[in-house]
Amino acid sequence: MAAVELELEERVSLLYLLWRAEQRRKRRPRRTWVHQLLQRREQFGEFHHLLQELRLNDGRFQRYHRMSPGQFEDLLSRVGPRIARRDTNYRRSIPPAERLSICLRFLATGDSFRTIAFSFRVGVSTVCQIIPQVATAIWDCLVDDFMAVPSTADWRSIAEGFQERWNFPLCCGALDGKHVQMKAPPNSGSMFHNYKGTFSIVLLAVVDARYRFRIIDVGGYGRTSDGGILANSTFGQALRAGTLHLPPDQPLPGGEHRGAQPHVFVADEAFPLRRELMRPFPGRLLPLEKRIFNYRLSRARMIVEGAFGALSSQWRLYRRPMELRPEIAEKCVKATCVLHNFLCCLDDRGAAAVRGVAPAVVEPLQGLGRVAANHSSREAVLVRKKFMAHFSAEGAVSWQPKE
């Protein structure tokens, strides 16, 4: 009996080996190490052919990369050492300038990885590696200079800008959230499903009077409200804890009799009313004073809407749902925000006009539980009333509503 079982096992093993040999024989051998289409990258690839012609025309280069040739070279000098790769015995590496061009072209168009790969004559898997790597390098290399956490002096300068340009005193920034559309990740359920009926992650941003992003938080689930995103973000926690290093309280211009008031951020109805966070009065049939306050607050708050509009107009990645994993989408969003500041802060010669102090480190949001109700404190209500009275008295402007 044992001999029969042993013979049966030997037959099964022999059949398995014959089947594996047949599978190897049927497997199509790899004929080339690199496809012939990709081998001619340096002769016919978009970077080596079309882009070199575009360098002779600043306007067309600008439309292609969303930045001028001088700005491209400045950016390359900052991120080039970070994204450079070594040559091997099998092939030469893709130069840093071409890697940067591939990433910028994706951010500027939002085209699929396959389309980008065909245009530049590189592999799809190569594009899948280049885009997140370069986007991460852009953020890491630029954040210190162009999106540093504001110091007390910076907050004071931002407040002066809102007073001069938008007639809202003691304002340190406009706050809002933007839903960045994306395809639903596998097995994500309804976590990314938002009230608009699409899937998204949330970009929470504080913008100064010149449409520059000063603090961002990326990665909130689309199903979470703006108030919930704020409550669980690093910025929101620092705002509640009083660790943002805002300037000390001071009187409103011409309103010394009203006492010292805190420096505030302006936001819409989706956010709670806090001592340092002003939102409009709810309702439609409001008294004149409240309508004036809402008007003045809306005028300052629209800066963040304008910044979001400029961001999506500059980087067409936002014009269609991103077919990316959430972690890669976060990297691309952070890269476009810091590039927005980079382009805003360069002068005509392409040299940096401002420098920061410390990086704005904001961690992506994880799962969010139930947040507390937005009950306003008595102090917050009193601060808003004093701003309202100021806008209708010594802080009034000639073009605000009269009735």
Side-chain angles (χ1 to χ4, degrees), residues 56-76:
L56 304 177
N57 188 309
D58 290 355
R60 294 182 182 275
F61 189 96
Q62 172 83 30
R63 289 191 288 272
Y64 184 89
H65 273 148
R66 303 304 184 191
M67 61 180 62
S68 67
Q71 293 167 341
F72 180 87
E73 294 299 329
D74 189 345
L75 179 60
L76 179 61

Side-chain angles (χ1 to χ4, degrees), residues 175-402:
L175 173 69
D176 202 2
K178 175 180 175 60
H179 285 270
V180 180
Q181 291 190 35
M182 60 184 299
K183 294 194 69 174
N187 305 318
S188 62
S190 62
M191 290 191 303
F192 295 92
H193 191 267
N194 59 45
Y195 70 96
K196 299 180 180 180
T198 61
F199 296 89
S200 64
I201 58 175
V202 180
L203 164 62
L204 185 73
V206 175
V207 178
D208 66 13
R210 298 182 179 274
Y211 300 93
R212 293 177 297 184
F213 295 102
R214 303 312 295 255
I215 294 178
I216 64 171
D217 188 290
V218 188
Y221 296 134
R223 69 174 183 178
T224 311
S225 66
D226 287 347
I229 295 291
L230 174 66
N232 292 274
S233 67
T234 304
F235 169 75
Q237 295 170 4
L239 184 64
R240 290 196 304 270
T243 58
L244 283 177
H245 305 292
L246 297 177
D249 298 355
Q250 65 183 66
L252 295 166
E256 289 76 9
H257 59 286
R258 304 186 191 279
Q261 303 303 318
H263 286 73
V264 300
F265 298 90
V266 293
D268 60 15
E269 299 87 350
F271 293 90
L273 177 65
R274 296 285 187 264
R275 183 178 184 272
E276 292 86 7
L277 183 60
M278 293 290 101
R279 54 166 287 174
F281 289 99
R284 294 184 177 180
L285 301 178
L286 298 175
L288 178 60
E289 283 188 337
K290 291 185 177 181
R291 286 193 286 116
I292 290 176
F293 174 85
N294 286 359
Y295 170 74
R296 297 284 289 272
L297 183 141
S298 176
R299 187 169 183 267
R301 187 190 63 79
M302 289 302 291
I303 304 307
V304 66
E305 300 286 355
F308 286 151
L311 186 71
S312 60
S313 178
Q314 184 84 354
W315 307 106
R316 299 301 177 92
L317 176 74
Y318 294 98
R319 295 296 183 92
R320 63 182 73 181
M322 298 184 187
E323 299 182 10
L324 304 172
R325 299 197 305 270
E327 60 271 18
I328 297 180
E330 292 173 15
K331 294 177 181 179
C332 293
V333 170
K334 292 166 67 174
T336 56
C337 289
V338 76
L339 282 173
H340 172 89
N341 285 9
F342 170 76
L343 297 176
C344 288
C345 295
L346 293 184
D347 58 20
D348 295 336
R349 299 186 304 275
V354 297
R355 289 292 183 266
V357 179
V361 180
V362 182
E363 296 295 333
L365 298 179
Q366 304 301 324
L368 300 179
R370 183 178 183 275
V371 298
N374 293 333
H375 296 305
S376 304
S377 65
R378 292 184 178 180
E379 185 180 13
V381 173
L382 182 60
V383 169
R384 184 167 66 172
K385 285 183 177 180
K386 290 186 177 181
F387 271 88
M388 177 189 67
H390 170 75
F391 290 145
S392 296
E394 65 276 357
V397 292
S398 58
W399 34 262
Q400 70 186 28
K402 302 295 185 183

